Amino acid sequence: MIWNETKECMSRDEMSCLQSARLVKTVDRVYHNVPYYRNKMQQAGLEPGDIKGIEDINKLPYTTKDDLRETYPFGLFAVPMSEIVRTHASSGTTGKATVVGYTRRDIDIWKECVARAFTQAGITREDRMQIAYGYGLFTGGLGAHYGAENLGAMVVPMSTGNTKKLVTMMEDFDVTAIACTPSYLIHIAEVLKETNQLDKIKLKTAVCGAEPWTDNMRKQIEADLGIHAFDIYGLSEVMGPGVACDCIHHKGLHVYEDHFLPEIIDPTTLQPVGEDVTGELVFTTLTKEGLPLIRYRTKDLTSINYGKCECGRTLARINRFKGRSDDMLIIRGVNVFPSQIEAALLEMNGTTPHYMMIVDRQGSLDSLEIQVEVEERFFSDEIRELENLSKQIGHVIQNAIGLAAKIKLVEPRTLERSEGKAKHVIDKRTLV
Ligand code: DLL
């Protein structure tokens, strides 16, 4: 069953027309229902009538996580509290949690978007799908759950926390699809190998997201498990999972533009950048009632493409994420993204995607140590093999990030595994 084919294949003019009508309504709603937004717009000398369509988007002020913190917990909600049927919250690394609220209609649209995403991944009502994102305040578990159920798939609500049970049920229930973070799926694959269950499972599809991963990592997961893996994106503030997802062609993630208006801006000048140029992704929600957001700065770095996809969809595509403008590390003055290390490691033989960057400061000089899990065989071979591999990894990483790092090779399964978002950086400089 193809979901919303009319919306996914409309011409650019038709989409712009729909987005413009919805933007005008959203601006009107926040102006009249959210004093914080009204103030912001008045400060910018704006009245709702000034926004006639998406061509006027540039006039509107940006929203950031700080605005949500300042109005904690419900200050940006645009409906009476009796209309809110669900809240979620994302745990910030600093400050208070960011709280989001949904009306019944918001939940309906959310489950439609996730169902559209899962349909792109080829999931149907014939599938049996384990949801292995955390259930609770995190949007991953319940968001994926409602989407899969809406599609008619049989849901197995695993959450996280018990991988042995997950793999047992995967085999016993003939599970065909799974939704979880890519790093957790790698861990699940390891457990399946250890327990000799890999040949016994019927898994065909994984829809992974909630953290950055590379295309090489996707290919490795596909090869290890003999499945198709898809990239799903979203963020709590804007909705949760299901804002965008890739299709079988893996040439970018289709944004559900009928509900979310994407822009890419230069994070320094805050000016829009052109198609295919990397910048910060910004979203304006077009149909949300509970927590509509105007030009929300995601801090996620990507580029956008408006060309028609081979799958027939005309929805704009965002490219795999290059990281966040705020997880960028500056080490000895060099900008470093953890995803660069991952991509470099995955190009090599003998390495795994499990690594930990430890950034420290001796005197005024930053140091970077990278602990990398390598295959078992290197520890049974001669010590020279291990030294050679270490040197090789050092070269590859230096080429990738332009910085020398101390490489420490560790045995398989040494580094802590994550059931949620993987942690790849310990920055001791910020702990002082
Ligand atoms: O992570 C929502 C989600 C759940 C998405 C399950 C996909 C699957 P937050 O906890 O608010 O929401 O975190 C949002 O996670 O701004 C990105 O930096 C990152 N992120 C999410 N999906 C991807 C992805 C959920 N596919 C933040 N690739 C976002 C890269 C992702 N980063």
Side-chain angles (χ1 to χ4, degrees):
M1 179 188 217
I2 306 280
W3 280 72
N4 261 313
E5 192 173 343
T6 46
K7 285 187 188 146
E8 297 192 350
C9 303
M10 60 171 68
S11 72
R12 190 59 18 214
D13 281 351
E14 286 168 332
M15 179 57 83
S16 300
C17 219
L18 177 72
Q19 290 175 325
S20 289
R22 290 181 168 179
L23 175 68
V24 169
K25 272 196 194 161
T26 301
V27 169
D28 197 65
R29 192 177 315 131
V30 297
Y31 187 87
H32 291 105
N33 298 353
V34 188
Y36 190 86
Y37 265 126
R38 186 161 53 244
N39 281 343
K40 265 194 152 195
M41 282 179 62
Q42 283 171 347
Q43 275 166 20
L46 279 175
E47 300 247 331
D50 295 330
I51 307 301
K52 298 194 172 61
I54 55 169
E55 64 283 2
D56 294 322
I57 191 83
N58 241 329
K59 297 180 181 163
L60 289 162
Y62 291 108
T63 309
T64 64
K65 229 179 169 64
D66 286 341
D67 294 308
L68 283 157
R69 287 209 188 99
E70 228 171 274
T71 54
Y72 173 90
F74 308 135
L76 289 189
F77 287 14
V79 293
M81 286 308 286
S82 55
E83 300 285 313
I84 298 288
V85 298
R86 173 111 61 91
T87 57
H88 281 283
S90 74
S91 54
T93 41
T94 52
K96 291 203 169 108
T98 307
V99 182
V100 296
Y102 307 76
T103 64
R104 195 170 298 285
R105 184 163 171 268
D106 291 336
I107 298 280
D108 285 345
I109 289 175
W110 187 7
K111 61 191 193 196
E112 175 202 310
C113 288
V114 177
R116 281 163 71 174
F118 287 171
T119 301
Q120 266 173 221
I123 295 167
T124 70
R125 52 183 298 122
E126 302 305 325
D127 279 288
R128 299 171 181 193
M129 188 167 196
Q130 276 179 324
I131 308 297
Y133 289 115
Y135 279 63
L137 287 174
F138 176 51
T139 52
L142 285 168
H145 178 116
Y146 274 69
E149 228 175 61
N150 191 26
L151 189 60
M154 183 185 101
V155 172
V156 189
M158 292 309 305
S159 194
T160 53
N162 195 336
T163 312
K164 282 259 153 67
K165 192 181 233 170
L166 183 147
V167 296
T168 305
M169 287 186 168
M170 187 180 272
E171 184 186 338
D172 294 350
F173 291 12
D174 287 341
V175 163
T176 53
I178 188 163
C180 60
T181 58
S183 49
Y184 190 34
L185 190 54
I186 292 178
H187 178 53
I188 292 169
E190 285 172 342
V191 174
L192 283 165
K193 275 182 211 159
E194 265 170 29
T195 52
N196 293 321
Q197 278 170 287
L198 207 49
D199 295 340
K200 300 184 188 131
I201 57 162
K202 302 246 162 46
L203 195 68
K204 287 186 316 202
T205 315
V207 192
C208 298
E211 64 184 5
W213 54 315
T214 54
D215 208 43
N216 280 342
M217 198 162 157
R218 174 180 68 78
K219 287 178 188 151
Q220 183 166 330
I221 288 174
E222 290 188 334
D224 276 2
L225 286 167
I227 62 168
H228 280 296
F230 295 84
D231 190 6
I232 187 167
Y233 168 80
L235 63 165
S236 341
E237 295 87 334
V238 170
M239 181 177 75
V243 172
C245 188
D246 68 351
C247 66
I248 195 72
H249 299 283
H250 301 296
K251 293 198 175 137
L253 286 74
H254 296 282
V255 178
Y256 302 115
E257 277 187 279
D258 41 328
H259 297 296
F260 314 103
L261 176 67
E263 293 175 82
I264 306 284
I265 61 162
D266 178 319
T268 321
T269 63
L270 304 188
Q271 290 308 307
V273 299
E275 211 173 329
D276 292 321
V277 178
T278 298
E280 181 180 334
L281 180 61
V282 170
F283 278 115
T284 300
T285 65
L286 296 174
T287 48
K288 267 176 80 187
E289 295 178 333
L291 180 66
L293 288 179
I294 305 291
R295 304 191 89 195
Y296 183 72
R297 291 187 57 189
T298 65
K299 306 273 177 173
D300 291 317
L301 299 176
T302 181
S303 53
I304 199 160
N305 178 303
Y306 289 97
K308 185 176 175 180
C309 178
E310 287 163 53
C311 74
R313 287 178 181 82
T314 50
L315 296 171
R317 279 170 286 158
I318 45 179
N319 285 313
R320 218 163 243 285
F321 291 88
K322 297 240 159 66
R324 289 176 59 86
S325 56
D326 59 0
D327 87 349
M328 186 178 78
L329 295 155
I330 302 182
I331 307 172
R332 281 180 244 150
V334 178
N335 297 347
V336 179
F337 289 103
S339 54
Q340 294 173 290
I341 308 277
E342 191 167 272
L345 290 176
L346 277 161
E347 271 172 22
M348 300 192 60
N349 270 334
T351 58
T352 74
H354 301 292
Y355 67 96
M356 180 64 83
M357 299 168 66
I358 299 162
V359 192
D360 207 347
R361 181 164 290 162
Q362 275 111 32
S364 60
L365 199 64
D366 291 333
S367 65
L368 171 64
E369 180 184 290
I370 304 175
Q371 300 184 350
V372 185
E373 267 188 29
V374 296
E375 289 170 4
E376 188 91 57
R377 63 186 159 96
F378 288 98
F379 290 90
S380 37
D381 289 347
E382 281 179 49
I383 189 86
R384 219 150 37 93
E385 293 283 317
L386 206 59
E387 281 168 3
N388 280 343
L389 183 65
S390 174
K391 266 195 205 142
Q392 225 180 319
I393 293 177
H395 280 308
V396 171
I397 285 182
Q398 181 155 11
N399 271 342
I401 62 174
L403 198 71
K406 182 178 166 200
I407 307 295
K408 187 172 170 194
L409 303 185
V410 296
E411 296 194 43
R413 313 192 55 93
T414 310
L415 299 173
E416 200 183 323
R417 294 297 189 261
S418 144
E419 289 178 348
K421 301 184 188 227
K423 190 165 184 272
H424 289 302
V425 181
I426 297 174
D427 195 342
K428 294 187 176 168
R429 300 171 304 176
T430 55
L431 300 178
V432 197

